[in-house]
Amino acid sequence: MKSILLIGQSNMAGRGFIEDVPPIYNENIQMLRNGRWQMMAEPLHFDRHVAGVGPAASFAQAWTEDHPGESIGLIPCAEGGSSIDEWAMDGILTRHAISEAAFAMETSELVGILWHQGESDSYGERYKTYEGKLRSLLKHLREELKAPDIPIIIGELGHYLGEVGFGKSAVEYKQINQILSNVAHTENNCYFVTAKGLTANPDGIHKDAVSQRKFGLRYYEAFSKRKHVLDPLDRELDWIEKEAKRVLTKKERIFVQSTKFALGQLSFEEFSNNITKINEGK
């Protein structure tokens, strides 16, 4: 199985409203939780009780389309509100991410790192020291994971920042975005992903669920093609609509019914009847 490390702050962890997009269920997408690989369900992260849709699910779904019959594992290590200083080489978040990735590498091949962070450093002239800290982090991750050539995909901050809500304080996001682009364009095997056209939740800082689905596709385009993605993809909306109509496998249908039962959305009798129908191929 291949695996992907997810690091950064809340827009990687995901704050998109889950009810705003069709769910992604795929038995070939796993997530690392409590030391075990489990079938993915959003939210992937539980850094906060308000975690929601991030870019990783659509990234992984697109990956499975290009790798039929293979599995991919997601390693959620992003932390909402974290600054670049909290991703220092000896910092708790970095140590945790390396530990989780190393554990995942016992049963999978780590093939990529997705990074999205910078909103917390978009004020107070923090951008002046940001680039050196980010470059040091990327170098440290590759050294510690013994993966000198692993692709690292760097996502741009939303262009809506600095205007309303919690995003109003991120007045220096353009400076951070320039640094993110510079790093991606000059570091080996790093690729930049644009946030053009993406929109926010009412809080003004977190990408909404539809935008996160699009963002994940852009991350995958950069990862799979080993290129910078500087403009929105033509297929984004069509892809989201197509995935909403995807026919679930037997295992995926049982997973959905089990989830609904656990959440109290089905009685035991309804759950049992539905499982019987699925097993009978109905």
Side-chain angles (χ1 to χ4, degrees):
M1 183 171 72
K2 310 300 184 185
S3 59
I4 300 288
L5 177 62
L6 313 174
I7 52 176
Q9 61 180 115
S10 55
N11 271 313
M12 176 56 70
R15 298 292 188 264
F17 303 147
I18 289 177
E19 63 272 16
D20 284 354
V21 290
I24 291 177
Y25 298 113
N26 188 322
E27 63 180 286
N28 290 320
I29 304 176
Q30 303 290 306
M31 59 183 179
L32 188 63
R33 186 162 292 170
N34 289 343
R36 298 187 178 192
W37 293 111
Q38 306 176 28
M39 190 189 298
M40 185 205 74
E42 293 174 292
L44 269 162
H45 286 78
F46 280 106
D47 62 310
R48 298 290 188 279
H49 68 289
V50 293
V53 174
S58 53
F59 174 98
Q61 183 78 330
W63 187 94
T64 63
E65 292 171 350
D66 283 348
H67 302 82
E70 298 182 45
S71 294
I72 186 167
L74 302 173
I75 309 166
C77 292
E79 171 69 16
S82 57
S83 69
I84 192 65
D85 287 335
E86 294 178 271
W87 288 96
M89 289 183 286
D90 59 349
I92 291 174
L93 297 182
T94 304
R95 289 161 50 201
H96 173 253
I98 291 171
S99 174
E100 288 290 283
F103 184 82
M105 291 167 74
E106 295 180 11
T107 53
S108 68
E109 177 189 358
L110 186 69
V111 295
I113 298 174
L114 308 188
W115 169 259
H116 189 283
Q117 190 278 334
E119 291 92 345
S120 291
D121 294 281
S122 294
Y123 69 96
E125 297 188 336
R126 297 184 179 191
Y127 68 88
K128 291 184 176 180
T129 59
Y130 186 91
E131 183 166 345
K133 294 173 181 178
L134 178 57
R135 290 186 187 275
S136 294
L137 171 63
L138 303 187
K139 181 175 182 291
H140 180 67
L141 289 171
R142 284 172 161 163
E143 289 175 348
E144 290 297 306
L145 297 172
K146 297 179 175 58
D149 299 316
I150 193 168
I152 300 176
I153 316 302
I154 296 175
E156 186 179 34
L157 305 185
H159 296 188
Y160 49 76
L161 291 170
E163 297 180 2
V164 298
F166 297 131
K168 198 170 183 179
S169 63
V171 292
E172 294 168 355
Y173 78 92
K174 292 181 180 179
Q175 290 92 327
I176 295 292
N177 276 341
Q178 185 59 56
I179 293 169
L180 295 172
S181 178
N182 289 343
V183 170
H185 280 82
T186 55
E187 289 287 333
N188 182 48
N189 283 339
C190 280
Y191 304 95
F192 182 75
V193 176
T194 184
K196 287 180 183 176
L198 301 184
T199 51
N201 286 340
D203 61 17
I205 196 166
H206 296 119
K207 293 179 180 68
D208 60 42
V210 172
S211 289
Q212 287 285 25
R213 289 285 192 254
K214 295 177 181 178
F215 209 30
L217 283 179
R218 297 178 192 182
Y219 267 97
Y220 180 68
E221 180 79 2
F223 172 82
S224 61
K225 302 290 180 59
R226 298 295 194 270
K227 70 174 187 178
H228 307 294
V229 175
L230 305 180
D231 292 294
L233 306 177
D234 293 336
R235 63 189 177 100
E236 291 172 354
L237 285 176
D238 289 341
W239 186 90
I240 293 173
E241 293 177 1
K242 174 177 68 72
E243 290 307 311
K245 300 174 183 177
R246 176 178 172 269
V247 177
L248 300 184
T249 66
K250 177 181 177 181
K251 185 175 181 179
E252 291 160 4
R253 292 173 65 195
I254 290 174
F255 181 85
V256 172
Q257 295 302 312
S258 298
T259 300
K260 289 182 177 180
F261 174 61
L263 293 174
Q265 297 171 1
L266 294 175
S267 67
F268 183 74
E269 182 179 2
E270 291 171 323
F271 169 70
S272 298
N273 289 337
N274 290 345
I275 296 300
T276 298
K277 290 178 182 178
I278 291 172
N279 286 327
E280 291 175 348
K282 297 179 181 179

